[in-house]
Amino acid sequence: NAGVTQTPKFQVLKTGQSMTLQCAQDMNHEYMSWYRQDPGMGLRLIHYSVGAGITDQGEVPNGYNVSRSTTEDFPLRLLSAAPSQTSVYFCASTQGGRLNDEQFFGPGTRLTVL
Amino acid sequence: AQSVAQPEDQVNVAEGNPLTVKCTYSVSGNPYLFWYVQYPNRGLQFLLKYITGDNLVKGSYGFEAEFNKSQTSFHLKKPSALVSDSALYFCAVRDYGQNFVFGPGTRLSVLP
């Protein structure tokens, strides 16, 4: 199993550009989520999905869109990049169903918006 | 709303000494608690989780965590620290909506 994969590893954007961060998991997990990590702030939830076709907003959803057309994939779209979106982005997945199931994390995407 | 506090930004400990990384939580209902570790330029890795009824939970790499309901704490411990344990540690709680809430993280430095 590859686990949770993310592409790209690094990305530099100019203000106003759009892009999609890819996330895929091969563990047949129902629950997937996107976080951003900023120094001193831990991980903040952007969007999450409890299954294919179902998505919802987390703590910091503004400026981001998601979709979940398959169980495996959960892409994150930046519609019009802003310098405040400079961060490290992590995708994670959980089996779901039991609240004591742990999350599995991807390696992250480091995004810089100029 | 669920919340997690990690009162120490940084913990320094000498190699071979015991280490403790503190975590307190606030939840409504039963707590579902987790510890994760993050090495530089890597994603988070699961260390251990609280299982109802076990006040001392054992996890990966020799780590364990002590659950204290009255103090709403879930401190991470290790009897003998290694230099390779130096990393960023996150405590997390999961709510009934299935979302995870993370603490701000504690940077552990183990000095040789």
Side-chain angles (χ1 to χ4, degrees), chain B residues 4-109:
Chain B
V4 175
Q6 293 180 243
E8 299 156 319
D9 293 335
Q10 173 98 26
V11 170
N12 297 322
V13 63
E15 188 174 29
N17 282 3
L19 70 87
T20 298
V21 182
K22 295 180 180 177
C23 171
T24 59
Y25 64 90
S26 173
V27 301
S28 52
N30 293 327
Y32 296 91
L33 298 159
F34 303 81
W35 275 103
Y36 289 84
V37 61
Q38 184 180 31
Y39 297 101
N41 301 313
R42 303 286 294 276
L44 277 70
Q45 297 177 32
F46 169 73
L47 271 182
L48 51 80
K49 62 186 176 185
Y50 171 61
I51 299 171
T52 303
D54 293 339
N55 287 345
L56 187 63
V57 179
K58 294 194 182 297
S60 306
Y61 312 120
F63 283 93
E64 56 192 26
E66 186 174 12
F67 173 73
N68 187 315
K69 186 174 183 178
S70 62
Q71 296 185 2
T72 61
S73 66
F74 189 55
H75 299 333
L76 182 70
K77 298 175 184 259
K78 188 173 182 182
S80 178
L82 300 172
V83 172
S84 57
D85 292 329
S86 298
L88 190 55
Y89 290 82
F90 290 97
C91 183
V93 63
R94 195 174 189 191
D95 65 25
Y96 287 105
Q98 301 197 53
N99 292 330
F100 288 75
V101 175
F102 286 83
T106 298
R107 187 165 300 281
L108 173 67
S109 292

Side-chain angles (χ1 to χ4, degrees), chain A residues 35-46:
Chain A
Y35 297 91
R36 59 177 290 172
Q37 183 180 23
D38 302 293
M41 302 189 73
L43 276 75
R44 292 183 292 170
L45 182 66
I46 304 172

Side-chain angles (χ1 to χ4, degrees), chain A residues 1 9 12 15 23 25-26 31 34 39 41 43 49 65-66 80 82 85 93-95 108:
Chain A
N1 284 356
K9 284 188 166 56
V12 178
T15 297
C23 173
Q25 52 90 11
D26 61 358
Y31 179 91
W34 275 102
M41 302 189 73
L43 276 75
S49 169
N65 274 358
V66 292
S80 177
Q85 294 179 304
S93 72
T94 310
Q95 176 63 44

Side-chain angles (χ1 to χ4, degrees), chain A:
Chain A
N1 284 356
V4 180
T5 57
Q6 291 183 239
T7 55
K9 284 188 166 56
F10 301 95
Q11 184 70 50
V12 178
L13 292 178
K14 294 181 180 177
T15 297
Q17 287 185 314
S18 62
M19 78 160 296
T20 300
L21 279 62
Q22 301 292 345
C23 173
Q25 52 90 11
D26 61 358
M27 298 173 282
N28 202 32
H29 285 174
E30 291 295 321
Y31 179 91
M32 295 186 74
S33 53
W34 275 102
Y35 297 91
R36 59 177 290 172
Q37 183 180 23
D38 302 293
M41 302 189 73
L43 276 75
R44 292 183 292 170
L45 182 66
I46 304 172
H47 285 285
Y48 65 98
S49 169
V50 298
I54 306 169
T55 64
D56 207 344
Q57 297 180 351
E59 180 186 355
V60 289
N62 292 343
Y64 308 95
N65 274 358
V66 292
S67 60
R68 185 96 181 270
S69 56
T70 66
T71 299
E72 295 78 18
D73 300 299
F74 191 44
L76 178 72
R77 296 184 188 83
L78 279 70
L79 307 174
S80 177
S84 60
Q85 294 179 304
T86 294
S87 187
V88 182
Y89 292 84
F90 289 101
C91 179
S93 72
T94 310
Q95 176 63 44
R98 296 181 307 181
L99 287 172
N100 65 353
D101 283 333
E102 64 269 25
Q103 278 191 315
F104 293 81
F105 283 83
T109 295
R110 188 174 295 271
L111 176 68
T112 301
V113 182
L114 303 175

